[in-house]
Amino acid sequence: MTKKVKNSANKLAIALAFSCISVMLSGIANQIALAKSTNPQKCDIFAYVTDTDPQGLNVRSGGSTKNRILGQIAINETVQVVAAAKNWVQITNASGGFQGTGWVFVPNLGLSTQGYGTNGVEVYANSNEQSRKVGRIPANTPVKLLGCQGDWAQVEYQGVKGWLKREDQCGAALTSCS
């Protein structure tokens, strides 16, 4: 009888070990899949902080609210955006406050259009001038930043989403960049 109990205990221990290994491997596979799905898009644009929190915009160690806060950036400060992954962008070269590189939630950033002295700037369907024009935004108008690709900014203005080329962007809040 004790031999049967020992065998049952051994079988149970082996089954639990395999279950734990299976759960661990599944977790690792999910982390790898998540890392691949959030592969950052390289960017090179400037934007300004629109977050009105008196503490400033949180800069984090990664693109999630679960990541550690590295510092804050005050409203209207200019940042250089160097990468984008979903709703997060990697920033560097803040004009004030935070020094270094980190990630911020993209809805807390904005930019304005240039085109001073013109009837506005074109918004494109894709991040190239050969794509279809989807609208026009008046000169010196604040727009919502949605993301970026290279030196193109994906923006939204009055419900129209599209792409602005570099020469039509102004990443400084308190000047017209003209």
Side-chain angles (χ1 to χ4, degrees):
M1 188 96 153
T2 56
K3 207 173 196 179
K4 271 188 175 178
V5 171
K6 260 188 182 174
N7 279 346
S8 293
N10 284 343
K11 286 180 184 175
L12 182 61
I14 290 170
L16 283 172
F18 279 124
S19 293
C20 289
I21 291 170
S22 175
V23 168
M24 283 178 23
L25 290 176
S26 174
I28 291 169
N30 286 340
Q31 286 181 345
I32 291 169
L34 179 63
K36 285 183 180 177
S37 70
T38 57
N39 192 16
Q41 177 71 47
K42 296 277 186 228
C43 299
D44 184 19
I45 67 168
F46 290 89
Y48 54 83
V49 175
T50 59
D51 186 3
T52 57
D53 184 331
Q55 299 289 318
L57 172 61
N58 286 333
V59 181
R60 296 183 177 271
S61 60
S64 165
T65 55
K66 293 178 181 168
N67 288 92
R68 185 170 49 92
I69 296 173
L70 303 174
Q72 286 83 25
I73 305 172
I75 190 167
N76 294 331
E77 293 295 335
T78 299
V79 297
Q80 182 179 7
V81 180
V82 295
K86 298 197 181 212
N87 291 328
W88 291 81
V89 291
Q90 187 178 36
I91 59 97
T92 190
N93 298 330
S95 60
F98 177 78
Q99 296 299 309
T101 300
W103 291 83
V104 299
F105 192 52
V106 76
N108 292 319
L109 296 178
L111 51 85
S112 299
T113 58
Q114 288 200 45
Y116 185 76
T118 70
N119 62 353
V121 298
E122 300 288 349
V123 183
Y124 296 87
N126 296 305
S127 57
N128 67 68
E129 288 186 72
Q130 287 71 46
S131 68
R132 179 174 53 88
K133 294 175 183 170
V134 295
R136 181 177 289 279
I137 302 174
N140 302 323
T141 302
V143 294
K144 181 179 176 183
L145 182 63
L146 301 175
C148 52
Q149 184 174 8
D151 61 359
W152 286 76
Q154 187 179 28
V155 299
E156 182 177 358
Y157 175 72
Q158 294 184 341
V160 176
K161 295 178 182 178
W163 293 87
L164 280 178
K165 59 185 176 180
R166 162 148 357 249
E167 41 292 354
D168 293 336
Q169 304 166 26
C170 178
L174 305 175
T175 180
S176 65
C177 292
S178 49

